[in-house]
Amino acid sequence: MDQTIQETKTKARSHTSGRMKAFLTTLSNIFVPVIPAIIASGFVQGINNIMTSNATNTAIREGVKASGQLTNTQVVLQSWHLLQVSTVFGIIGTAVFSFLAIYVGVTSAIQFKTDKLLGGAIGAITLSTALPVLGLKAGEGGLFGVILVVWILAEFMKLFHKIIPDILDVVLTPTFSLLLTAIVYFLTVMPIMGILSDGLIKGILFLINESGVVGGFVLSALAPALISTGLHQGLTPINLQLIAQHGSTQINAFQIMSNAGLVGAGLALWIMSKNQQVRNVAKAALPATFLAVGEPTLFGLVIPSGFGFITASIGAGFGGMMVSLLGVKCSALGAAGMSAIPLIADGKYIQYLIAYAVACAAGFILTYVVGKMRHYA
């Protein structure tokens, strides 16, 4: 009897593990094709952030005013003969991230074996500036929302292919599929994500105001999950409001610690792995994450590993504790990693680097230890 129960439990765990592995494989297949574009755009964006942040600080320090159509930052860049360079870098740097939902829609459609351009259309719907008319916000569904709805699109396409006559299939199947999928998106996924985002903001503000170091740990540990689902976009208005009212925001400093946790976890996975594809992704992703953007390491390394996502998050949490203890804040929003240094308020650059190093070290140690225990290779 006991043996039968134990065998049933073992089979259940194996089934759950298999489903989780399949889910992580699906995510990896969706995001890995986008990683080269994210890396290229992230590097360029990181360099541009450094230029523009230094120009902004110079403009504030020297009292430079806007002139004509140029902002005070652009006036400084022009005086350095870098305005055109910065503009080109800015265009390139935002080309991927501004339309990432579209690219993920395309790769999701490929993964779910449905029409690629219709998948891209789902991503484009997420970015529409007309969404406020429906009581929604651009980007509210997040990248996971895009993936879910493209899967729904694929199911609708299969259904309509079966029931619509061949002579009308080429017109009616994509039309009905896209229309019904969009309706589902507007009525369910986006509103639910909006509710989650609003609740998240209230919870974060409570943690910052009431819980000190513990809140710092929680906020930074949650950051990778928020980024992977797109919920972190809901924090942008709060960050901007805090900067406008107080000149700085600590929320963004907590978010940035996710970058450090990812770098540490990614390094450990690189060292431990014997899989050449993993090592190739690591060599490309880790420098981009260290400089500016965490998505290549997040989607290319730690999420596919499973446990690395958890250990990277905990590592980021330790960095968040240091952010809280050392009073690190950001005076502007931009990329993370080393390109965030000019964004740090009150000249607390050393304190930021200490917090970053703690998160990185914690992410590395935790991932390495757990990886060895799980015989990761």
Side-chain angles (χ1 to χ4, degrees):
M1 180 71 173
D2 290 341
Q3 185 177 359
T4 303
I5 293 173
Q6 186 62 39
E7 287 177 354
T8 301
K9 288 181 178 179
T10 301
K11 288 180 180 178
R13 282 196 296 267
S14 177
H15 180 66
T16 302
S17 175
R19 292 181 67 177
M20 178 58 69
K21 186 174 181 180
F23 174 71
L24 294 175
T25 299
T26 297
L27 287 183
S28 178
N29 291 341
I30 289 170
F31 284 108
V32 166
V34 189
I35 286 176
I38 294 176
I39 290 172
S41 187
F43 266 120
V44 174
Q45 185 183 61
I47 295 170
N48 191 51
N49 282 342
I50 293 172
M51 285 192 293
T52 55
S53 297
N54 283 326
T56 299
N57 291 335
T58 299
I60 294 171
R61 185 175 61 252
E62 298 180 1
V64 177
K65 304 294 183 182
S67 176
Q69 295 182 333
L70 300 180
T71 65
N72 57 349
T73 298
Q74 290 173 323
V75 170
V76 173
L77 286 169
Q78 189 176 53
S79 70
W80 294 346
H81 305 291
L82 290 175
L83 179 58
Q84 290 181 325
V85 173
S86 176
T87 301
V88 171
F89 277 32
I91 293 170
I92 296 172
T94 58
V96 171
F97 294 101
S98 296
F99 303 101
L100 189 57
I102 296 175
Y103 309 140
V104 169
V106 171
T107 56
S108 297
I110 294 172
Q111 176 65 20
F112 299 134
K113 297 180 173 58
T114 193
D115 189 276
K116 297 188 291 293
L117 292 185
L118 286 178
I122 293 297
I125 287 171
T126 307
L127 305 175
S128 175
T129 56
L131 286 170
V133 176
L134 303 177
L136 302 168
K137 293 180 289 188
E140 198 166 291
L143 296 180
F144 270 60
V146 172
I147 294 170
L148 171 61
V149 176
V150 171
W151 175 78
I152 293 172
L153 171 74
E155 295 302 309
F156 276 136
M157 291 284 284
K158 291 176 187 176
L159 174 64
F160 288 127
H161 277 312
K162 290 179 181 178
I163 63 177
I164 292 177
D166 290 345
I167 193 170
L168 299 174
D169 184 61
V170 70
V171 175
L172 296 185
T173 292
T175 302
F176 288 161
S177 297
L178 184 60
L179 182 60
L180 289 176
T181 302
I183 291 172
V184 171
Y185 205 5
F186 295 148
L187 294 179
T188 60
V189 177
M190 279 191 160
I192 290 171
M193 294 295 281
I195 292 170
L196 290 174
S197 180
D198 291 342
L200 175 70
I201 290 170
K202 292 178 181 177
I204 285 175
L205 292 176
F206 173 80
L207 284 172
I208 288 178
N209 294 328
E210 304 294 336
S211 57
V213 173
V214 174
F217 179 91
V218 173
L219 291 173
S220 290
L222 285 174
L226 300 181
I227 293 169
S228 67
T229 57
L231 285 172
H232 69 295
Q233 295 173 354
L235 298 177
T236 300
I238 303 299
N239 277 313
L240 293 175
Q241 183 178 349
L242 290 172
I243 292 171
Q245 290 179 347
H246 306 290
S248 62
T249 174
Q250 196 166 41
I251 295 176
N252 196 55
F254 289 128
Q255 288 178 258
I256 290 174
M257 287 301 106
S258 67
N259 182 281
L262 290 169
V263 168
L267 280 171
L269 293 171
W270 184 17
I271 290 172
M272 289 187 292
S273 181
K274 297 177 182 178
N275 185 310
Q276 192 57 46
Q277 182 180 0
V278 172
R279 296 181 65 83
N280 289 339
V281 170
K283 284 188 287 187
L286 286 171
T289 299
F290 182 70
L291 176 64
V293 289
E295 282 85 352
T297 300
L298 176 65
F299 296 121
L301 284 175
V302 302
I303 286 181
S305 76
F307 72 93
F309 180 77
I310 298 172
T311 53
S313 299
I314 296 173
F318 282 102
M321 293 176 65
M322 298 305 297
V323 166
S324 184
L325 282 172
L326 300 175
V328 178
K329 299 180 180 180
C330 295
S331 59
L333 303 184
M338 294 301 100
S339 67
I341 293 174
L343 310 178
I344 303 304
D346 306 318
K348 291 191 174 183
Y349 309 120
I350 300 300
Q351 289 90 331
Y352 166 71
L353 291 174
I354 291 172
Y356 192 96
V358 168
C360 187
F364 178 87
I365 292 169
L366 288 168
T367 305
Y368 192 85
V369 170
V370 174
K372 286 298 183 180
M373 292 172 59
R374 295 172 62 93
H375 305 291
Y376 175 80

